[in-house]
Amino acid sequence: MSEGKAYWWQEMTAEAIQEHAKKDDIAILPLGAIEQHGPHCPCGDDSYNAIGMAEHISRKTGVMLLPCPMYGSHPFHHWGMPGNIPLTYETHIGLVMDIIKGATVSGFNKFIILSAHGQVSSTIVAVHKLGLEGIFTLSLHWYDFLRDDKDVLEDWMWHADEAETSVALYLFPEFVDMSKAAKGGGEPLVDRKFIIAPGARPRPGTMYHFEGTFARPEYRELENGIIGDATKATREKGEKIVTRLTDHVAELIEDIRKRYEPGVKPLET
């Protein structure tokens, strides 16, 4: 595998894919969504983020990348918002499982789901259903995998804000119009001190931000589709986030490689 090449499944022949699996049977499935991201970012923001992050990881590690389905599942409060096209949880769980099970036919045995959108409601279920079928799968959402970016960002990540817009400016600036970037609103239904923000470190007396119906429907709550302050975004912040994520995932991939030779199914060892 040549250094600096990204291995996208859809760009390769079936024969080349199978040959790759004989040498390295780890594959990443990037997951995004179609969801409004304010007046300044495209509705494909999450999918473009997932694709761009995955490509950086493949260039560093040589790992195989599965095609990214553009649609995702959504927390309840995203439904009904113009620009969003959500999948039901059952549909998304089935989609993720079918993609990964399909990839096993070509010889892949270890999978990492890389999500750039809040869809733990389906990814966690898919991981454990795949486990029941003997398929080793890890799932991470980039912002929670990093856990703490306050040395890079001024605010915790929420939506179409400093964090997501910074990543977009680094990965696909041609789709971002910073002249329309703005501050956004949105108030939770309980005090914020009880909610772990995306990427924040857990502390006593807090719940994960998808563990409750903490928010009103966005179509009733948000004026510009932003939660946070997109005006604080910079390309430099986005580069630091993507580089840090790439390094962490590369370390995870190396650990899997050291433990399990190609062809080995970890749940059967």
Side-chain angles (χ1 to χ4, degrees):
M1 294 180 291
S2 60
E3 182 68 20
K5 177 178 173 60
Y7 291 88
W8 283 106
W9 186 289
Q10 67 271 23
E11 297 175 357
M12 300 169 65
T13 65
E15 180 181 7
I17 289 168
Q18 292 175 87
E19 287 301 314
H20 185 111
K22 292 176 182 178
K23 301 175 183 178
D24 184 4
D25 61 353
I26 302 172
I28 290 179
L29 172 59
L31 293 180
I34 297 299
E35 175 189 17
Q36 69 79 27
H37 275 72
H40 62 297
C41 281
C43 289
D45 187 280
D46 289 337
S47 293
Y48 291 140
N49 279 342
I51 291 168
M53 290 173 169
E55 181 146 325
H56 276 266
I57 294 165
S58 183
R59 290 187 184 279
K60 184 176 180 68
T61 66
V63 75
M64 177 63 71
L65 301 178
L66 301 174
C68 175
M70 296 294 286
Y71 301 100
S73 69
H74 292 247
F76 88 98
H77 57 282
H78 287 188
W79 289 67
M81 190 72 168
N84 296 7
I85 305 179
L87 300 181
T88 62
Y89 309 114
E90 295 79 9
T91 297
H92 196 243
I93 291 166
L95 175 68
V96 170
M97 291 184 66
D98 284 349
I99 292 170
I100 288 177
K101 287 194 289 185
T104 65
V105 176
S106 296
F108 290 86
N109 297 301
K110 298 103 173 174
F111 298 91
I112 299 173
I113 295 171
L114 171 62
S115 178
H117 170 71
Q119 46 200 343
V120 291
S121 51
S122 58
T123 54
I124 288 178
V125 176
V127 163
H128 291 280
K129 289 173 73 71
L130 287 165
L132 289 171
E133 298 190 32
I135 302 174
F136 175 82
T137 312
L138 306 178
S139 176
L140 65 93
H141 289 63
W142 71 261
Y143 42 86
D144 285 324
F145 192 61
L146 292 180
R147 293 298 174 193
D148 190 353
D149 278 315
K150 290 307 290 291
D151 61 325
V152 177
L153 302 171
E154 297 178 46
D155 302 323
W156 290 119
M157 173 182 164
W158 288 104
H159 176 68
D161 56 353
E162 176 192 9
E164 286 197 308
T165 304
S166 292
V167 172
L169 286 171
Y170 177 56
L171 293 177
F172 47 95
E174 66 274 20
F175 295 145
V176 182
D177 185 352
M178 286 301 289
S179 71
K180 296 180 179 179
K183 297 180 180 180
E187 286 297 324
L189 298 175
V190 298
D191 194 297
R192 288 188 185 274
K193 70 180 182 180
F194 297 112
I195 304 172
I196 305 169
R201 293 182 184 274
R203 61 187 186 279
T206 56
M207 293 168 282
Y208 184 56
H209 58 285
F210 286 135
E211 287 186 307
T213 53
F214 294 121
R216 300 177 185 86
E218 288 183 342
Y219 70 87
R220 290 168 43 193
E221 183 79 357
L222 303 184
E223 293 184 4
N224 60 9
I226 300 170
I227 304 175
D229 188 350
T231 66
K232 295 180 179 180
T234 68
R235 182 189 183 280
E236 291 71 27
K237 292 176 182 178
E239 182 176 7
K240 289 179 181 178
I241 289 171
V242 173
T243 299
R244 184 172 296 177
L245 176 77
T246 299
D247 291 343
H248 282 306
V249 178
E251 186 177 356
L252 173 62
I253 290 169
E254 186 58 29
D255 180 73
I256 296 170
R257 285 173 173 162
K258 287 180 178 179
R259 292 172 182 270
Y260 311 105
E261 296 289 332
V264 173
K265 299 178 181 181
L267 295 184
E268 296 183 4
T269 58

